[in-house]
Structure formats: C-alpha cells, structure tokens
Amino acid sequence: DESTNRLNFDKRKAIKLVEQTMEKQIEQRGRQMVKRFQKLGIDPLGIGSKVRSHDRTWSAKKWKDLYPHVGVNIKVDVKIRDTGTIS
C-alpha cells in the first residue's frame, strides 16, 4: 500500500533526524564537560593514561602543564534500534 510505504519512509527520515540531533547535542555537552575538567585540572576520562601509553617521554609534570590546552575530539554515533508506537 502506497500510504504505508510513505509512512515508513517518513519514519526512517524522522529517526535519522533524531539521531543526528542527539549526536550534535551529546558532542556539544561532551566538549563542555572536557573543558570544565581541564579548567579544574582533573582527568576523570583518563586521557593522560591514554597519552602515556603512546608517549615514552610522558611525565606527570609535563601532562599537568599540557592537559589544560590539549584539544579533545568527541565523536558520537547514535543509532536508534527500535521505536515504540503511541496509541
């Protein structure tokens, strides 16, 4: 039935829009959190540990000086797996 196909297409389009909107919002909030962590001088995400595992010259002092200025990229991939219906 043509109306069912149109509804499914619109639903997929709506789901994609929700996924993209959520990704942008989560990325933005994540960047804000990381900036706050850097300002406070705390590393609850363990970024320093990750850097240490790839840098033989790593030192706690060097990291403390560098951390507030490190650029952190946040990439979020939201996939809605299922949706409900409202009756």
Side-chain angles (χ1 to χ4, degrees):
D1 164 81
E2 189 175 317
S3 64
T4 304
N5 290 338
R6 179 175 162 75
L7 180 62
N8 288 338
F9 176 75
D10 289 342
K11 183 177 178 181
R12 282 193 304 266
K13 222 168 135 177
I15 290 171
K16 187 67 177 169
L17 178 62
V18 170
E19 289 172 342
Q20 291 171 343
T21 301
M22 288 177 68
E23 287 170 355
K24 288 177 185 175
Q25 288 179 355
I26 294 168
E27 287 171 359
Q28 179 184 13
R29 289 182 182 176
R31 283 190 297 273
Q32 291 170 344
M33 279 180 35
V34 169
K35 285 180 184 179
R36 179 128 172 96
F37 294 157
Q38 288 172 311
K39 184 178 179 180
L40 294 171
I42 60 174
D43 186 13
L45 301 175
I47 298 169
S49 295
K50 186 72 170 170
V51 172
R52 181 177 58 219
S53 70
H54 295 284
D55 182 358
R56 292 178 185 240
T57 65
W58 188 93
S59 73
K61 167 74 172 113
K62 180 178 164 184
W63 180 244
K64 185 176 180 179
D65 295 339
L66 185 62
Y67 178 58
H69 310 288
V70 169
V72 177
N73 293 323
I74 297 177
K75 176 66 179 140
V76 176
D77 185 21
V78 173
K79 296 289 181 222
I80 296 175
R81 299 175 108 182
D82 197 8
T83 62
T85 58
I86 299 172
S87 353

